[in-house]
């Protein structure tokens, strides 16, 4: 009698990961891995502590039973229910994310059902079979959290970058990075039609155009910028991740021609031309060409004037300064927007 052992199918693992992301409409980074279980009524994710309390067992006993000090996917064939358990005491939170993604892989790829095992463990399977399931679950986890096709969209990607952007451990980031390097050596490339690139296209675009100001902590999206639109500082840098230190400056919605959808001064929402019909305020923010050094003597002349020094850039509705040439913005000169420092102080004082 010949037994055919399971063979890992990496293409399938990738597609199942994409399917799970699509089901959850989850295309921003880093992936919120725990919430991906929500669409499934027969799947729950719990911690080792929860299990320990509920069944009155020690952590050591859990680790021994499930043969893992990190996590497991437990299947009850009688009720057709899945329980993913993870050790929340693992210090590296990024590692926990990988563990959860890996266990979700066992679930999505139906490894328990295929092997007729309540848990996927080395002791209950042949070594070969166990390895096949494990590597398939790992490819699933990698695809789910940090697909190489997405990483290749960033030319400057390195393990630190990968670890920060996708919130995976440095070790895991090194592995993905080496995998990509190997692919390059064999002449492998991802086409722009790759399903993961398509699914994450908005996020990739946003990240590529993202900037951060070291003076006022504003983060913003622009293809090209030389100045911070909030404080006018030149001290801006490419910024890939929204950090905890970001200050959210009030933003105002605009339409496709850069015009406010609602007047900042009087809140009128019936917008017809470029000026508010109720209070006369300007509705389109643009570069004035005026030097920020003269800001104390605000412009009081005609607003219909062609701003001769202007670079012509249309500006974000909350911009006090032109991101392109550093001049003041029309909204700032016209006192529609207040000094950014006031807003930063308010934001800093906000209680949590
Ligand atoms: Zn596993
Ligand atoms: Zn700034
Ligand atoms: Zn108005
Ligand atoms: Zn300008």
């Amino acid at each position: 009698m010949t037994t055919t052992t399971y063979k890992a199918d990496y293409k399938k693992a990738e597609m199942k990961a994409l399917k799970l992301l699509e089901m959850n409409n989850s295309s921003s980074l880093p992936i919120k891995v725990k919430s991906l279980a929500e669409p499934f009524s027969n799947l729950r994710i719990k911690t080792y502590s929860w299990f320990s309390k509920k069944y009155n067992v020690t952590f050591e006993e859990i680790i021994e039973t499930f043969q893992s000090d990190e996590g497991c996917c437990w299947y009850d064939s009688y009720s057709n229910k899945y329980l993913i358990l993870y050790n929340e005491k693992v210090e590296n939170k990024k590692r926990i994310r990988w563990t959860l993604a890996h266990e979700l892989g066992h679930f999505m790829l139906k490894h328990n059902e295929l092997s007729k095992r309540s848990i996927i463990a080395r002791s209950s399977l042949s070594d070969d079979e166990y390895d096949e399931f494990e590597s398939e679950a790992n490819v699933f986890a990698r695809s789910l959290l940090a697909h190489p096709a997405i990483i290749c969209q960033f030319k400057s990607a390195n393990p630190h970058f990968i670890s920060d952007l996708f919130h995976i451990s440095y070790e895991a980031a090194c592995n993905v990075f080496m995998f990509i390097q190997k692919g390059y050596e064999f002449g492998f490339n991802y086409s722009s039609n790759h399903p993961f690139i398509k699914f994450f296209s908005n996020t990739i675009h946003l990240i590529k155009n993202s900037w951060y100001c070291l003076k006022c902590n504003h983060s913003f999206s622009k293809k090209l910028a030389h100045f911070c639109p909030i404080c006018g500082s030149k001290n801006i840098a490419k910024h890939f991740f929204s950090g905890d230190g970001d200050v959210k400056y009030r933003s105002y919605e605009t339409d496709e021609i850069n015009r406010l959808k609602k007047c900042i001064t009087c809140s009128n929402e019936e917008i017809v031309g470029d000026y508010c019909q109720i209070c006369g305020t300007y509705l389109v923010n643009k570069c004035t060409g005026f030097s920020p050094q003269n800001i104390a003597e605000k412009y009081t002349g005609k607003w219909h004037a062609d701003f001769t020094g202007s670079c012509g850039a249309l500006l974000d509705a909350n911009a006090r300064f032109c991101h392109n040439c550093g001049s003041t913005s029309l909204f700032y000169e016209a006192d529609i927007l207040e000094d950014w420092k006031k807003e930063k102080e308010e934001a800093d004082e906000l209680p949590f």
Side-chain angles (χ1 to χ4, degrees), residues 262-268 275-281 283:
K262 184 175 171 180
C263 172
I264 295 178
T265 311
C266 76
S267 302
N268 166 35
Y275 319 94
C276 172
Q277 289 173 293
I278 307 297
C279 72
T281 299
L283 301 172

Side-chain angles (χ1 to χ4, degrees), residues 287-289 309-313 315 322-328:
C287 171
T288 61
S310 168
C311 73
L315 310 180
C322 172
H323 57 271
N324 181 44
C325 73
S327 300
T328 58

Side-chain angles (χ1 to χ4, degrees), residues 8-135:
D9 179 344
Y10 299 136
K11 194 91 220 142
K12 183 174 84 181
E14 283 182 74
M15 288 307 114
K16 287 279 179 191
L18 183 61
K19 190 183 163 199
L20 183 59
L21 295 170
E22 284 170 346
M23 281 174 83
N24 283 278
N25 207 357
S26 179
S27 64
S28 56
L29 294 171
I31 297 298
K32 293 190 181 72
V33 62
K34 233 171 121 180
S35 62
L36 296 179
E38 276 162 19
F40 306 99
S41 57
N42 67 335
L43 169 67
R44 287 205 293 167
I45 298 182
K46 295 284 183 189
T47 62
Y48 277 17
S49 287
W50 173 88
F51 193 85
S52 159
K53 256 192 222 131
K54 183 156 173 96
Y55 296 100
N56 194 25
V57 287
T58 65
F59 261 61
E60 286 68 35
E61 286 165 328
I62 297 174
I63 290 167
E64 207 188 300
T65 309
F66 298 117
Q67 293 172 45
S68 170
D69 52 9
E70 301 206 86
C72 79
C73 178
W74 186 22
Y75 175 56
D76 177 32
S77 59
Y78 183 72
S79 61
N80 189 32
K81 277 187 178 149
Y82 280 88
L83 177 63
I84 289 177
L85 291 171
Y86 68 98
N87 186 353
E88 82 283 10
K89 294 195 174 152
V90 168
E91 241 169 74
N92 187 339
K93 299 298 165 219
K94 289 174 169 174
R95 255 193 99 87
I96 295 181
R97 289 168 48 73
W98 188 280
T99 301
L100 286 172
H102 174 100
E103 303 308 337
L104 278 168
H106 286 312
F107 167 76
M108 288 297 287
L109 293 157
K110 301 195 185 314
H111 288 166
N112 305 62
E113 285 152 81
L114 288 167
S115 65
K116 301 192 173 63
R117 298 286 189 279
S118 58
I119 57 167
I120 304 295
R122 193 172 280 283
S123 66
S124 62
L125 297 159
S126 77
D127 274 357
D128 283 349
E129 195 150 39
Y130 176 75
D131 291 341
E132 295 291 324
F133 283 135
E134 282 301 284
S135 57

